[in-house]
Amino acid sequence: MENILYYELATEYGPLYVYERYNDDPKTSKEIPETREFFTQEEARVSYSSLVFLEKAEFKVVERNMEGIITKNYMHKLSPYEFLNRVGSSLDSDEKMEEKRKRIYDIFEMKSNNMANDQVIETEQKGNKKQKNIVASKILSKYIPSKN
């Protein structure tokens, strides 16, 4: 059974919404998950402390000190409900989806060109309920292409 984990990645230009797809249980799996940005479906290259999109836009996932200890985490795990709550307003129409895709590609382009903005923008996280997560997972599955 396929498992999907949802994340919000805080960046200098606004949040990116990322998901990881596992074939097995993510807690016990040794596989490297497929990691993609939700709106563009661009696959990320995962490195030690960053995600790279389109081979040029590299975003820090964590910040580490000289000893390698994580001092700041920019990628926060979200429940399906929280994820849907954050991306839902862009799923209303094809026009909104296209507008959001363009905005994400703009973020990739700004990052790859090192455009000035070094303040990471983070959003507030909210609590969730199991039932909301089940419904949200079903809705989100319509927007994530199957692996075939």
Side-chain angles (χ1 to χ4, degrees), residues 46-62:
V46 179
S47 70
Y48 179 62
S49 60
S50 63
L51 293 178
V52 180
F53 292 96
L54 302 174
E55 298 300 322
K56 58 184 178 177
E58 183 172 356
F59 298 93
K60 281 186 182 181
V61 174
V62 294

Side-chain angles (χ1 to χ4, degrees), residues 25 31 86 92 96:
D25 182 8
E31 73 176 302
R86 303 254 170 74
D92 293 341
K96 285 185 179 180

Side-chain angles (χ1 to χ4, degrees), residues 21-55:
R21 185 190 319 243
Y22 293 83
N23 290 322
D24 299 316
D25 182 8
K27 294 177 184 174
T28 59
S29 179
K30 295 187 189 303
E31 73 176 302
I32 298 173
E34 174 186 349
T35 304
R36 293 185 178 272
E37 195 284 323
F38 180 74
F39 290 104
T40 62
Q41 294 300 313
E42 291 292 343
E43 189 164 6
R45 182 172 42 89
V46 179
S47 70
Y48 179 62
S49 60
S50 63
L51 293 178
V52 180
F53 292 96
L54 302 174
E55 298 300 322

Side-chain angles (χ1 to χ4, degrees), residues 8 24 44 94 111 119 121 126 143:
E8 179 178 65
D24 299 316
D94 289 341
K111 185 63 174 180
Q119 184 67 36
I121 302 168
K126 299 176 183 176
Y143 296 93

Side-chain angles (χ1 to χ4, degrees), residues 2 4 19 21 34 36-38 41 140-148:
E2 185 174 85
I4 298 175
Y19 66 90
R21 185 190 319 243
E34 174 186 349
R36 293 185 178 272
E37 195 284 323
F38 180 74
Q41 294 300 313
L140 288 167
S141 68
K142 295 177 184 178
Y143 296 93
I144 296 175
S146 62
K147 203 170 183 175
N148 297 330

